[in-house]
Amino acid sequence: MTRRRLAIARLWYEGNSFTPVTTDLAIFQAREWVSGSAAMDFYRGTATEIGAAVAFAEAQADWDCQFLRCTAAPPGGQVTPEAFAAIRAEILDGIAAGQKDKPWDAVYLSLHGAMVVEGNPTPELDLLRDLRRLIGSVPLGVSFDLHAHLAPEMLDLIDIAAGYKTYPHIDMDATAALVLAALASMADGRLTPRHAIAKLPAILPSFNMRSTDGPMAELQQRAKTWRSWTGMVDVSIFGGFAYGDSPFAGPSIIATTDDDAELAQAAVDDLMTALAERRERFYVHLPDSHAGLIAALASGGDRPAAVIDPADNPLSGGIGDTPALFRALLELRPNVPCVFGFFWDPDLVARCWQAGIGARISAQLGGRVTADFGPPVAIEAEILKLTDGQFRNLGRTVMLDINGIKVIITESCQTPNDPGYFALHGIDLGQIGLLCVKAKNHFRAAFTPLTRCIVEIDAPGPASPNIRRYRYRYAPQNLYPLTAD
Ligand SMILES: [Zn+2]
């Protein structure tokens, strides 16, 4: 028997449309940029989609798997059109070259589903259209992030589509494995996929999308029951990415069955009703900077209180630059040791390295990348510490003393969600009364046991829980809460 041929490619990126910083090809190339046997070595044994594809390739002797361009970049702003064009061309050229002599038997693509490109709100749909045009009726399977923006137009182009069931995401590999197994069944003629999709006309912030508890956990439990039906291939719930401005913005539910359109529709209808009933529970109402600081300081206990500013969390498209929380902290100047992490300002880091420890400087903090979220704060500071950032490739960093508040400035824009970040600056968290950090959910993992409370605030920034702060250009204007019901 001749071996069947599977093409594998990946373009995974979550884009924040409200961040002024763009993502170019170099950022993809620095993070994940492999193909061929190098891709197999890069992902083998990892709990990622392509890790699952490598496991499939090595376990399925009757499949010849070709790893085409596989790339991803950390969450950020819009991708440049040049970067998208280059990646799109690489994937499509790889597909075309591989089918010159004989068609592929299946194609697997690992997408995120919430990519945004400058001037192009539908890059993933465009790529899927090109791909479908190239491969004709060859089975196409795609895995997506739970925060993807799915649409009927996309599903029409895909045979097998599935998304992660967990957030934090711990089933990327399982999702890909499901798609690959279904693709293999389809190529063998053992599966005839039928889909249904439904969308809720709303934009949901991801604050309450945890799959461990809360409304998303309840929905995932219900979806799991649907997945146990005979003939059901997959049921996936997508929350959407609130800061990705897309014509397909908002949550969606898809079901795939083996030749049973009615079952797929029943699952999607039931889950959409359950989602609509829970809609309000996805919205959170957080205190502003000042109120959040007061609440944190009022909490009793000997460990530090933490105030986190999710609107400028780099893992959600934050830019390490919004000034509101720092301005409130400076005005309040609590009578306890305070640490603020962080501002992204490479020029200030360079200036401080030149001036040296102990020197006094004047500077502007925040509002450097953009003044859209508030003007810079003028400060006078003493340089307390310089580090080479030899921790997760932070680049050089500086710690300033500003009216008794220790403030960290960095050359790169990364979330301080690891205690090692503060240890690097010689900070003993046991001696700190108040910790203010640009971070979100991931911060809790390491810091819940180290702090007496974690207070989230709502300040202006590219990733605020308050959806009404943003002006969407491409998302339908009838989406809740942009307009009332
Ligand atoms: Zn996600």
Side-chain angles (χ1 to χ4, degrees):
M1 188 174 117
T2 55
R3 295 172 80 206
R4 274 184 277 262
R5 297 166 64 249
L6 171 68
I8 295 160
R10 168 170 162 96
L11 168 54
W12 193 97
Y13 184 76
E14 180 182 83
N16 182 318
S17 303
F18 307 108
T19 294
V21 182
T22 56
T23 293
D24 62 16
L25 196 60
I27 296 175
F28 282 92
Q29 289 170 333
R31 168 70 175 259
E32 270 183 54
W33 186 263
V34 284
S35 61
S37 61
M40 296 184 77
D41 294 341
F42 184 85
Y43 296 106
R44 185 180 291 111
T46 63
T48 60
E49 291 89 334
I50 308 300
V54 174
F56 178 92
E58 293 181 340
Q60 305 293 327
D62 51 338
W63 280 91
D64 169 18
C65 299
Q66 298 292 318
F67 290 78
L68 308 178
R69 173 57 60 210
C70 293
T71 185
Q78 299 184 81
V79 172
T80 62
E82 297 76 21
F84 176 58
I87 297 167
R88 179 180 180 170
E90 283 226 19
I91 292 174
L92 296 171
D93 289 351
I95 294 285
Q99 65 181 18
K100 250 197 339 251
D101 300 326
K102 110 193 231 287
W104 297 100
D105 293 288
V107 174
Y108 165 64
L109 189 57
S110 159
L111 294 180
H112 181 287
M115 182 177 190
V116 285
V117 171
E118 281 180 292
N120 176 1
T122 59
E124 284 153 319
L125 175 64
D126 296 0
L127 177 60
L128 289 168
R129 280 202 177 120
D130 291 345
L131 199 51
R132 182 49 85 191
R133 212 171 288 133
L134 258 183
I135 64 176
S137 60
V138 168
L140 170 62
V142 186
S143 60
F144 292 95
D145 190 282
L146 177 142
H147 297 108
H149 293 145
L150 269 285
E153 296 93 312
M154 292 167 81
L155 209 56
D156 286 347
L157 299 162
I158 305 172
D159 297 295
I160 309 289
Y164 312 154
K165 314 310 189 266
T166 60
Y167 176 47
H169 308 315
I170 53 171
D171 63 337
M172 300 172 167
D173 50 347
T175 305
L178 184 153
V179 173
L180 289 162
L183 271 179
S185 297
M186 200 185 157
D188 287 350
R190 289 182 283 116
L191 171 67
T192 307
R194 297 267 181 259
H195 320 113
I197 178 169
K199 287 185 73 66
L200 184 73
I203 294 179
L204 304 181
S206 60
F207 286 74
N208 285 344
M209 265 181 213
R210 293 175 307 278
S211 52
T212 47
D213 60 292
M216 183 56 95
E218 295 164 16
L219 292 164
Q220 291 292 353
Q221 196 55 43
R222 207 175 175 105
K224 195 174 166 190
T225 306
W226 277 108
R227 284 197 295 277
S228 67
W229 281 67
T230 304
M232 192 64 89
V233 176
D234 181 60
V235 180
S236 294
I237 303 171
F238 300 91
F241 182 60
Y243 317 114
D245 186 3
S246 157
F248 311 139
S252 50
I253 295 169
I254 61 174
T256 308
T257 60
D258 184 7
D259 206 14
D260 190 340
E262 249 171 74
L263 177 63
Q265 193 61 48
V268 158
D269 289 345
D270 172 69
L271 288 163
M272 188 46 72
T273 303
L275 172 58
E277 283 167 4
R278 288 165 178 77
R279 186 188 70 182
E280 281 312 306
R281 292 168 59 201
F282 284 94
Y283 298 96
V284 296
H285 302 282
L286 301 176
D288 68 12
S289 300
H290 187 86
L293 288 167
I294 298 284
L297 290 163
S299 68
D302 44 8
R303 285 164 295 165
V307 172
I308 61 176
D309 181 2
D312 201 20
N313 167 34
L315 288 171
S316 312
I319 47 178
D321 187 56
T322 66
L325 176 60
F326 180 69
R327 190 187 308 278
L329 179 63
L330 201 57
E331 280 164 13
L332 203 62
R333 185 54 202 102
N335 193 22
V336 293
C338 298
V339 173
F340 185 94
F342 68 99
F343 281 106
W344 170 41
D345 192 337
D347 290 344
L348 181 56
V349 170
R351 252 180 79 198
C352 292
W353 270 73
Q354 198 142 47
I357 291 174
R360 291 199 65 83
I361 54 152
S362 311
Q364 306 274 331
L365 283 191
R368 172 185 71 87
V369 180
T370 172
D372 284 356
F373 307 113
V377 184
I379 54 115
E380 297 283 327
E382 181 188 335
I383 300 168
L384 289 181
K385 197 167 176 68
L386 305 170
T387 90
D388 58 7
Q390 286 312 316
F391 159 78
R392 260 186 3 197
N393 296 328
L394 269 183
R396 294 184 302 176
T397 76
V398 177
M399 186 164 69
L400 302 177
D401 178 313
I402 303 174
N403 297 358
I405 301 167
K406 292 186 168 80
V407 181
I408 295 167
I409 316 291
T410 60
E411 269 183 334
S412 71
C413 186
Q414 298 183 49
T415 306
N417 59 8
D418 184 324
Y421 185 99
F422 297 97
L424 171 73
H425 297 91
I427 293 166
D428 174 0
L429 289 173
Q431 305 300 313
I432 298 302
L434 180 67
L435 190 58
C436 293
V437 179
K438 292 176 182 289
K440 194 175 158 183
N441 288 340
H442 295 92
F443 179 84
R444 293 177 187 274
F447 284 88
T448 298
L450 302 175
T451 53
R452 65 175 192 261
C453 65
I454 296 176
V455 176
E456 266 179 309
I457 53 115
D458 176 24
S464 160
N466 186 353
I467 301 304
R468 290 196 186 90
R469 285 189 187 277
Y470 305 106
R471 220 158 8 143
Y472 294 82
R473 286 176 59 201
Y474 301 114
Q477 295 302 308
N478 65 343
L479 298 186
Y480 183 84
L482 303 180
T483 54
D485 287 309

